[in-house]
């Protein structure tokens, strides 16, 4: 499947194919553009795991306390998913800088989605990078989301933060790659 944000771009590139057929100088750029669009805007079906699931594909590059950060390179799927079932309590978009997404920085352009359920408050932060020109949010305040539902997309390179409430522990480590919908945290059982 293709994310809806990529359909207009793909349609434009398809319109360029006849020109590329008759002008060999356009053939390679048009073919590359088509391939990159299909790669970047792909939206594969996902099997949703148990516990708290990853909101994004990418490499975990930071974990401390209740916070996990995932770096998405240009080859990762950029559709973001809800880590839990719950109600979207708030959405806050903040303008800011757009440094390279592989750098952890403050004051970055971001969209914070807060989801609440019986286990507490979970936060997903979509952060723009130098190539990320848009953060797209699919959900609205007050909306009920199911674990694994699509909640947004960051166009062209990014970072996603997941914050979980007390009583949860991450089961993944820094350096591991994750896919959206894969289990990343579990509730800690108290004896």
């Amino acid at each position: 499947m293709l994310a809806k944000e990529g359909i207009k771009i793909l349609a434009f590139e398809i319109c360029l194919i006849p020109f590329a057929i008759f002008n060999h100088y356009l053939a390679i750029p048009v073919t590359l553009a088509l391939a990159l669009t299909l790669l970047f805007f792909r939206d594969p079906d996902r099997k949703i795991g148990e516990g708290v699931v990853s909101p994004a594909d990418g490499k975990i590059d930071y974990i401390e306390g209740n916070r996990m950060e995932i770096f998405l390179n240009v080859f990762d799927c950029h559709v973001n998913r809800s880590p839990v079932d719950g109600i979207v309590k708030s959405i806050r978009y903040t303008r800011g800088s757009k440094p390279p997404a592989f750098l952890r920085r403050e004051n970055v352009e971001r969209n914070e989605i807060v989801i609440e359920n019986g286990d507490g408050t979970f936060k997903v932060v979509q952060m723009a990078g130098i190539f990320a020109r848009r953060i797209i949010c699919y959900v609205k305040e007050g909306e009920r989301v199911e674990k694994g539902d699509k909640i947004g997309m960051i166009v062209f390179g990014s970072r996603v933060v997941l914050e979980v409430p007390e009583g949860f522990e991450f089961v993944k480590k820094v350096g591991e790659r994750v896919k959206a919908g894969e289990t990343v945290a579990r509730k800690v059982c108290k004896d």
Side-chain angles (χ1 to χ4, degrees):
M1 260 186 352
L2 193 69
K4 61 186 175 186
E5 292 77 17
I7 293 173
K8 287 181 183 178
I9 296 169
L10 187 64
F12 173 74
E13 292 167 348
I14 288 170
C15 290
L16 295 177
I17 291 174
F19 297 104
I21 290 170
F22 295 109
N23 182 340
H24 68 278
Y25 294 110
L26 291 177
I28 291 174
V30 169
T31 302
L32 279 173
L34 277 165
L36 290 173
T37 298
L38 290 171
L39 175 71
F40 185 81
F41 288 100
R42 73 191 183 285
D43 182 11
D45 289 332
R46 294 293 167 90
K47 182 177 185 230
I48 306 304
E50 299 294 321
V52 179
V53 300
S54 176
D57 287 14
K59 184 177 179 180
I60 299 169
D61 67 354
Y62 178 83
I63 295 177
E64 186 172 311
N66 69 335
R67 183 181 178 98
M68 170 188 283
E69 295 189 19
I70 303 165
F71 166 66
L72 290 72
N73 68 38
V74 295
F75 299 110
D76 289 314
C77 177
H78 281 64
V79 175
N80 305 140
R81 295 179 180 267
S82 178
V84 292
D85 297 337
I87 303 293
V88 177
K89 284 308 212 181
S90 66
I91 299 170
R92 188 176 81 205
Y93 188 86
T94 305
R95 293 218 177 271
S97 64
K98 294 181 181 179
F102 61 85
L103 299 175
R104 295 186 61 247
R105 296 280 168 90
E106 297 294 323
N107 302 318
V108 175
E109 189 159 325
R110 68 185 67 224
N111 188 53
E112 296 179 9
I113 302 169
V114 175
I115 301 168
E116 287 186 0
N117 66 21
D119 290 323
T121 301
F122 298 80
K123 187 189 296 186
V124 176
V125 183
Q126 301 167 292
M127 302 174 82
I130 194 167
F131 297 112
R133 302 323 305 165
R134 281 193 313 164
I135 299 173
I136 301 163
C137 186
Y138 297 160
V139 294
K140 294 182 176 24
E141 288 183 9
E143 186 175 333
R144 175 148 185 76
V145 292
E146 300 297 320
K147 179 171 38 175
D149 282 355
K150 297 169 193 169
I151 59 172
M153 179 177 196
I154 311 170
V155 181
F156 297 121
S158 52
R159 170 177 294 277
V160 174
V161 174
L162 171 62
E163 293 181 6
V164 298
E166 293 295 323
F168 284 83
E169 65 181 2
F170 290 112
V171 296
K172 297 289 184 178
K173 306 279 186 243
V174 171
E176 289 187 87
R177 292 196 58 79
V178 292
K179 296 227 178 269
E182 180 180 330
T183 302
V184 293
R186 295 193 191 280
K187 197 169 190 175
V188 178
C189 295
K190 294 180 182 176
D191 294 337

